[in-house]
Amino acid sequence: MNRLARILITFSSWLVPRTRRTEWVEEWEGELAGLDEIRGGSPGHGKYPGPFEFAAGSLPHAAWTMKEEWTLGNLLSHVQYAGRVLKRAPGFTLVATLTLALGIGANTVVFSIVDSTVLNPFPFPDPKSLVGIGPAFPRLGQELSYFEALSPAEYEDIRTQSRTLERVVAWDMGNRQIATQDGSTNVFTAFWWGDAFLTLGMTPAAGRGFLSEEIERGDRVAVISHRLWESLFGSDPDVVGSTIQVNGYPYALVGVMPPRTLIYGTDLWTPMPVGPEVYPRNRRQFQVLARMADDVTMTEVNAELEGIAGRVEATHAGEFEEYQNWSLIASTWNDINSQTFRAAAFVLLGAVGFVLLLVCVNLANLLLARAMGRSRDFALRGALGAPRRRILAELFTESLVLATLGGTAGVLVAVLGIRGFSRVVEVLSIPFLGEVSLNGRVLLFTGAVSILAGLAFGLLPAVHATRSNFHDLLQSEGRTSAGSRKKHRLQRILVGMETAVALALLVGSGLLVNSFLRLQRVDPGFDPESALTMRITLPWEEYDMESIMVFFQELRDRVDGLPGVRSAAITSQYPPSVFLDQQVSVEGETYLEGGTLPQPYLTLVSPGYFEAMGIALVVGRTLTEQDRMGMPDVAVVNQAAARRLFGDENPVGSRFRIGGPGEEGEWIEVVGVVADTRNLGLDVDPQPEVYGSTYQVPGGNQFFLVARTDNDPTAILPAIRETVASLDPDQPIYMIRTIEEAFSASSADKRIASLALTLFAAFALLLASLGIYSVVAFGVVERTREIGVRMALGAEPSGVLRLVVRQALIPVAVGLVAGLGIAFGVGGFLQSLLFGISAADPLTFGIVTLLLLGVAALASYLPARRASYMDPVIALREE
Amino acid sequence: MPRSLGVTSLRILGAVREGISYGLDIVAHTGLPSGTVYPTLGRLKRSGYLKARWEDQRVADREGRPRRRYYELTPDGTQALVEGTNRMAQLAADLGAAATSGTG
């Protein structure tokens, strides 16, 4: 019993600070001995506790004693001291804080963005089982697509035949107008077959979803997005249950979607008014979404879809040739929607990981250099009797204060960075991007990593310094001790690492910037400057095909006559984002099995379109006002379409018609060939495009207006608004942007990636040069005496300079070689973001290597020059 | 301004005033657990209410055991004990009055 009590006291004593441990143990041993004596085996001392029970109190006592060392007052004085120390070294403090701040901030921003755009872009539960289904039509040369890609009949095939998928829903999208107090607002709308809420696994934020009978009947009921509820109705809960006017018809507003429930940015959902059976089998403008059944893998789903596609092919390929070898593929909704930014996101993730590494290395380097400079100070204080614990506690607090400063600034950088990014997204109107919010977990993680690195490297040298004998340290004065050599080696390794990482980042940024510049030099095939575009959707409820044609003709004529407008035109789509394509058949052409059927983009334009866009006529003529209904159908094709449809012959006079080889239709005569435009973006080769006339072919109810202006194109907007209002005051205009903006949005991923990577690379270059500078500068100070001796013995200043710089550049050179290796190895990941340049572009590699070498040479030259100017007499006297 | 003392501290100060001067004895007389008594002694010492003195090594040697640590009241401690006790008494009186008026 007694022995147990002693063991417990010994155990507890380990908690007690060493300075107080002897006394502490003595007091407890004394008390325990007293207890022994009193109890002495006689049972009559009931008031006294048993020895073990008594000794149990030693544990809380030890804990209290330990804690007493760290009381608030104590800590405060440590913090104050740390503050004074850091204030005495403002350069160091500033650099360390900024390094931490940018490291933590940049990482948090990038991780948050990637998390909310690529990893978890949607709030839907169990995202792994939420799948979209898309087709690939090799016969049409059409790759796998999930957007406006399936027909209602194909949706029904999947819905009725699949066992591995449940809650299969489909939707079409279009523009609708909601009446407001002052006119009306255009809203992008989804029309659903099936219960989307059920499939997504979401419940409305207010009100309810659609009832099954409402879906069945296609009732006029509406659900709006959370953001529309905020912007249009001020989050008024009373609007739920009220009636809103959609395209002039009353709709019961039954619910509000939860926040971030954005399906391609649709803000209004209603049941599809008609059933799938009313559409032709090849009307492919729908999306299909489903949940995987429990215990089913994606492989099983796709195997089953292959079977369904095979059965459809067997039944319908005779009538619809595109079904030959077609396939249906399911993929998670997350993957489908993050494809645009996936490559850019992962490149940035990798880059920012490098930056974090660099931050840690640089911090280590800084703290190491600083601690080395103070090691004599520590040893001296130790020799004068300062307890080692206290010195360590001070250093610990110092690192903690630094970490807090850096961490706070890092949060600031992160918040500002995310706000800035959201602005960029808004300005560039980047499509399909969810809201980006600060990710707390990421902030915590990066903060913890850099702070731990700071603490570790702040304390390690201190532990070393306080352990070393003061006598040895004084002995080592002026010479290089073994310990200091070891630290120098560590510093050189750190410099090498910094150089390598910086080089890899610089190469990446160099490649991206280079390819971005190349992209900017690509000729779009027309004049994208000073052209404003906007879209108008006329409701079918108020307009028929003829009045739509009249409206847009009138609009075009009136805008064309506005002062400041050089020319105006109407079009169904414009570069860089044409999207409406159409299968066509050329007269006299037999499409043999195995070849692909032509499916060019079909754009309906008013006369004057090519003039307004600045697209050159190559041969023949463009569309005129005489090409009207009742006249022979005519079309203009671009050069790519001429090659695709008619080979090397002059196509003027040739004829084609809309639809597959088996379909009937009017022949359309080609009257001209115009120059190619980069109709899918600067980084994609021009695609075949066929132009018909809006004056001749009815083409739906929504068109873009293009206005080429003499000056700033946005200045003409009020006049255009007035013109539209004079034709119909209820029709809103939307998607207002200049063509230049449209092009810059189409390369947004490359733009963001090259911009961010350049920032990172600049930061990396700065960190690396700081690291090199501090190591060399510190080395020079340490070797002052040696340099003095050399100079006293007749060394030339230039020789000293060369010596110092050469020694400094050895680790840099090693780092450069390693960095080239890394850059070469990871370059492949960049490939999909590059344009017209190889990921191993020797020029970029060479320039970047020279740049970094130059900066490193400068960073070591400055302190080296100071060394070479030293007066040898003073240098020798230096202690 | 020293914070007002709690019941435990007052009992320990009271015991020390009665001449019960080392930890073990205090544990035995107050009946408080040792895990409470020792940290409280440490706190009272830090606040300047108690001072500690080590037993003379010769006495300990004669008795054949390690030295003891004896505690005694400082003037501050005496004052704090009186004030604290008064405050407790006042509190008891107030509570009694409140209880009486509550029932009456």
Side-chain angles (χ1 to χ4, degrees):
Chain A
M1 211 47 182
N2 208 339
R3 258 195 39 190
L4 263 179
R6 269 174 221 291
I7 290 170
L8 187 59
I9 288 172
T10 311
F11 175 73
S12 303
S13 75
W14 294 338
L15 288 176
V16 179
R18 204 189 281 165
T19 45
R20 295 177 60 174
R21 200 176 295 159
T22 325
E23 273 197 347
W24 187 92
V25 171
E26 198 171 5
E27 180 171 8
W28 275 95
E29 301 232 309
E31 303 285 60
L32 205 58
L35 187 64
D36 267 359
E37 192 183 308
I38 289 161
R39 288 174 68 91
S42 60
H45 297 91
K47 281 201 296 181
Y48 287 89
F52 189 75
E53 190 194 334
F54 178 70
S58 67
L59 194 61
H61 187 207
W64 179 82
T65 317
M66 179 180 76
K67 194 200 73 178
E68 203 200 19
E69 287 282 287
W70 283 100
T71 54
L72 195 62
N74 225 328
L75 188 68
L76 258 176
S77 73
H78 279 312
V79 169
Q80 274 169 356
Y81 181 76
R84 277 204 303 277
V85 169
L86 290 176
K87 229 162 110 184
R88 270 208 303 272
F92 163 79
T93 310
L94 191 73
V95 169
T97 309
L98 280 182
T99 306
L100 266 173
L102 288 174
I104 295 173
N107 265 279
T108 311
V109 170
V110 169
F111 271 95
S112 299
I113 290 169
V114 172
D115 189 48
S116 48
T117 56
V118 176
L119 302 178
N120 293 299
F122 300 108
F124 314 133
D126 188 16
K128 283 198 169 58
S129 75
L130 184 66
V131 296
I133 295 133
F137 293 105
R139 191 79 168 99
L140 298 175
Q142 188 181 309
E143 289 171 10
L144 176 61
S145 161
Y146 294 92
F147 188 69
E148 302 195 327
L150 284 173
S151 73
E154 287 151 6
Y155 155 65
E156 285 291 274
D157 293 334
I158 297 164
R159 190 178 66 83
T160 53
Q161 296 181 34
S162 174
R163 297 286 159 272
T164 57
L165 296 172
E166 10 181 86
R167 294 176 262 164
V168 186
V169 294
W171 74 100
D172 186 17
M173 294 183 289
N175 289 286
R176 289 293 179 271
Q177 283 138 34
I178 296 183
T180 58
Q181 273 131 3
D182 32 69
S184 57
T185 297
N186 186 84
V187 283
F188 198 37
T189 307
F191 311 93
W192 293 92
W193 281 316
D195 189 343
F197 279 113
L198 198 65
T199 307
L200 297 175
M202 302 294 279
T203 46
R208 58 172 177 87
F210 303 132
L211 306 173
S212 52
E213 57 267 29
E214 289 171 342
I215 296 168
E216 194 73 21
R217 292 193 301 254
D219 281 355
R220 290 204 179 113
V221 286
V223 165
I224 55 170
S225 71
H226 199 269
R227 61 180 187 188
L228 191 70
W229 186 46
E230 284 174 340
S231 62
L232 208 57
F233 299 108
S235 303
D236 177 9
D238 291 338
V239 298
V240 177
S242 71
T243 301
I244 56 171
Q245 298 291 318
V246 179
N247 278 17
Y249 281 91
Y251 276 66
L253 179 56
V254 296
V256 177
M257 302 172 213
R260 294 181 64 214
T261 312
L262 293 178
I263 296 291
Y264 290 139
T266 50
D267 286 309
L268 173 67
W269 290 359
T270 80
M272 191 80 185
V274 293
E277 64 287 348
V278 306
Y279 288 92
R281 177 162 265 285
N282 59 355
R283 181 73 168 276
R284 297 192 179 89
Q285 60 186 46
F286 288 76
Q287 292 75 215
V288 174
L289 196 62
R291 282 283 181 179
M292 281 160 56
D294 290 340
D295 306 320
V296 165
T297 64
M298 192 64 90
T299 322
E300 288 165 350
V301 171
N302 279 319
E304 192 190 47
L305 287 174
E306 197 183 327
I308 294 173
R311 285 194 290 277
V312 171
E313 179 176 347
T315 319
H316 299 289
E319 192 184 351
F320 301 97
E321 285 185 37
E322 64 269 27
Y323 281 134
Q324 289 164 10
N325 294 320
W326 83 307
S327 55
L328 282 169
I329 310 277
S331 183
T332 67
W333 185 243
N334 270 5
D335 284 349
I336 292 167
N337 286 282
S338 57
Q339 272 161 359
T340 327
F341 284 94
R342 182 161 286 259
F346 283 109
V347 163
L348 289 190
L349 218 52
V352 87
F354 271 145
V355 171
L356 185 63
L357 181 69
L358 202 56
V359 162
C360 292
V361 169
N362 203 54
L363 213 58
N365 211 341
L366 272 172
L367 290 163
L368 205 61
R370 183 169 152 77
M372 279 168 68
R374 292 157 85 193
S375 53
R376 260 178 75 193
D377 181 38
F378 296 144
L380 184 66
R381 281 180 60 194
L384 293 176
R388 179 159 169 252
R389 234 186 103 78
R390 192 175 161 78
I391 295 179
L392 287 183
E394 274 170 22
L395 272 169
F396 183 77
T397 325
E398 198 179 303
S399 302
L400 217 59
V401 169
L402 213 54
T404 313
L405 281 177
T408 315
V411 173
L412 207 71
V413 170
V415 170
L416 290 178
I418 286 181
R419 203 171 291 170
F421 178 79
S422 303
R423 283 277 305 147
V424 169
V425 168
E426 208 177 301
V427 169
L428 296 181
S429 51
I430 297 167
F432 308 149
L433 208 62
E435 285 163 48
V436 176
S437 54
L438 187 75
N439 187 320
R441 274 171 303 152
V442 169
L443 185 65
L444 217 64
F445 170 77
T446 44
V449 167
S450 10
I451 286 166
L452 277 180
L455 287 183
F457 284 97
L459 283 184
L460 263 181
V463 170
H464 184 80
T466 49
R467 192 179 287 152
S468 60
N469 189 314
F470 179 63
H471 185 71
D472 289 350
L473 221 99
L474 287 184
Q475 284 287 302
S476 74
E477 178 75 11
R479 273 165 275 158
T480 350
S481 71
S484 136
R485 233 195 326 270
K486 209 156 78 189
K487 271 179 284 180
H488 280 305
R489 197 168 61 219
L490 184 55
Q491 276 196 316
R492 276 201 287 271
I493 291 172
L494 291 179
V495 164
M497 279 174 71
E498 280 188 308
T499 313
V501 172
L503 184 75
L505 281 171
L506 279 169
V507 166
S509 137
L511 289 171
L512 280 174
V513 170
N514 203 330
S515 72
F516 191 72
L517 292 178
R518 278 163 203 251
L519 202 57
Q520 296 304 93
R521 282 202 298 271
V522 170
D523 177 13
F526 69 103
D527 180 10
E529 275 174 50
S530 304
L532 187 69
T533 68
M534 66 208 70
R535 202 176 197 198
I536 296 168
T537 304
L538 296 174
W540 285 118
E541 289 83 350
E542 294 166 38
Y543 285 84
D544 60 13
M545 195 56 90
E546 205 186 325
S547 55
I548 289 170
M549 291 172 83
V550 170
F551 177 96
F552 282 108
Q553 284 181 24
E554 187 64 29
L555 176 66
R556 188 235 152 196
D557 292 346
R558 289 198 196 179
V559 172
D560 199 42
L562 285 175
V565 173
R566 213 179 298 163
S567 55
I570 300 295
T571 180
S572 57
Q573 53 191 352
Y574 63 90
S577 37
V578 300
F579 57 99
L580 302 164
D581 55 6
Q582 179 64 54
Q583 208 183 326
V584 301
S585 322
V586 174
E587 187 180 22
E589 191 81 34
T590 48
Y591 293 96
L592 298 172
E593 216 164 303
T596 49
L597 301 168
Q599 182 165 295
Y601 289 97
L602 176 63
T603 309
L604 293 179
V605 301
S606 69
Y609 174 75
F610 303 104
E611 293 75 15
M613 291 292 279
I615 299 173
L617 180 68
V618 177
V619 64
R621 66 172 177 92
T622 57
L623 302 166
T624 68
E625 313 228 347
Q626 278 66 54
D627 302 313
R628 316 194 136 257
M629 274 189 155
M631 302 294 287
D633 286 343
V634 294
V636 166
V637 298
N638 72 354
Q639 292 165 300
R643 268 194 309 278
R644 175 76 185 86
L645 298 177
F646 308 104
D648 295 329
E649 295 164 38
N650 180 352
V652 174
S654 303
R655 299 200 299 173
F656 69 90
R657 67 180 167 205
I658 306 291
E663 290 178 70
E664 296 290 314
E666 291 294 316
W667 289 111
I668 301 166
E669 188 185 330
V670 176
V671 293
V673 178
V674 293
D676 285 337
T677 62
R678 294 274 169 168
N679 42 13
L680 287 190
L682 291 175
D683 54 346
V684 184
D685 286 334
Q687 297 300 304
E689 189 170 355
V690 171
Y691 301 91
S693 173
T694 53
Y695 286 23
Q696 194 162 48
V697 188
N701 61 336
Q702 42 190 357
F703 285 96
F704 291 95
L705 172 72
V706 181
R708 176 164 302 279
T709 57
D710 293 323
N711 300 307
D712 176 17
T714 51
I716 202 74
L717 187 56
I720 294 181
R721 273 188 200 284
E722 255 173 59
T723 311
V724 173
S726 70
L727 287 166
D728 183 342
D730 285 339
Q731 300 315 321
I733 57 179
Y734 61 100
M735 285 175 79
I736 302 160
R737 43 158 69 165
T738 66
I739 289 184
E740 277 186 308
E741 282 167 355
F743 267 97
S744 105
S746 79
S747 54
D749 58 335
K750 293 178 177 60
R751 188 181 290 259
I752 289 176
S754 60
L755 181 73
L757 209 59
T758 304
L759 281 177
F760 293 161
F763 183 40
L765 187 63
L766 183 74
L767 284 182
S769 49
L770 268 175
I772 294 163
Y773 176 86
S774 69
V775 168
V776 176
F778 190 75
V780 166
V781 172
E782 264 213 331
R783 291 169 62 191
T784 302
R785 217 156 135 181
E786 179 208 321
I787 293 169
V789 171
R790 280 175 189 273
M791 293 181 76
L793 290 176
E796 291 289 319
S798 61
V800 171
L801 192 75
R802 266 205 305 279
L803 176 81
V804 174
V805 171
R806 198 173 58 225
Q807 285 193 355
L809 288 187
I810 289 171
V812 171
V814 175
L816 284 180
V817 173
L820 286 175
I822 297 173
F824 207 75
V826 301
F829 293 104
L830 277 179
Q831 194 65 63
S832 70
L833 286 172
L834 297 182
F835 176 80
I837 189 173
S838 148
D841 180 50
L843 191 67
T844 308
F845 273 69
I847 290 175
V848 162
T849 309
L850 284 181
L851 171 74
L852 192 52
L853 195 63
V855 170
L858 187 68
S860 52
Y861 170 77
L862 294 175
R865 199 179 57 152
R866 219 165 39 225
S868 69
Y869 283 158
M870 245 179 315
D871 182 341
V873 181
I874 296 173
L876 284 171
R877 221 185 277 145
E878 178 85 12
E879 294 243 342
Chain B
M1 210 26 216
R3 62 195 176 99
S4 43
L5 295 172
V7 179
T8 307
S9 300
L10 289 176
R11 278 170 74 184
I12 290 174
L13 284 180
V16 175
R17 186 172 56 182
E18 283 167 38
I20 298 160
S21 56
Y22 63 98
L24 177 63
D25 243 10
I26 297 172
V27 168
H29 279 86
T30 58
L32 292 167
S34 53
T36 304
V37 170
Y38 287 91
T40 311
L41 283 171
R43 237 188 324 269
L44 290 169
K45 177 169 161 280
R46 200 190 59 209
S47 308
Y49 296 150
L50 290 176
K51 62 185 182 200
R53 135 185 99 74
W54 284 103
E55 185 182 25
D56 195 288
Q57 188 66 56
R58 282 165 301 185
V59 179
D61 287 349
R62 202 164 50 233
E63 307 222 342
R65 54 172 172 74
R67 292 188 298 172
R68 271 189 190 139
R69 201 169 196 195
Y70 289 116
Y71 292 90
E72 55 194 64
L73 279 177
T74 62
D76 271 1
T78 312
Q79 194 192 340
L81 177 60
V82 172
E83 277 171 12
T85 315
N86 288 344
R87 197 164 39 76
M88 287 293 166
Q90 184 62 48
L91 187 65
D94 288 351
L95 283 173
T100 323
S101 71
T103 52

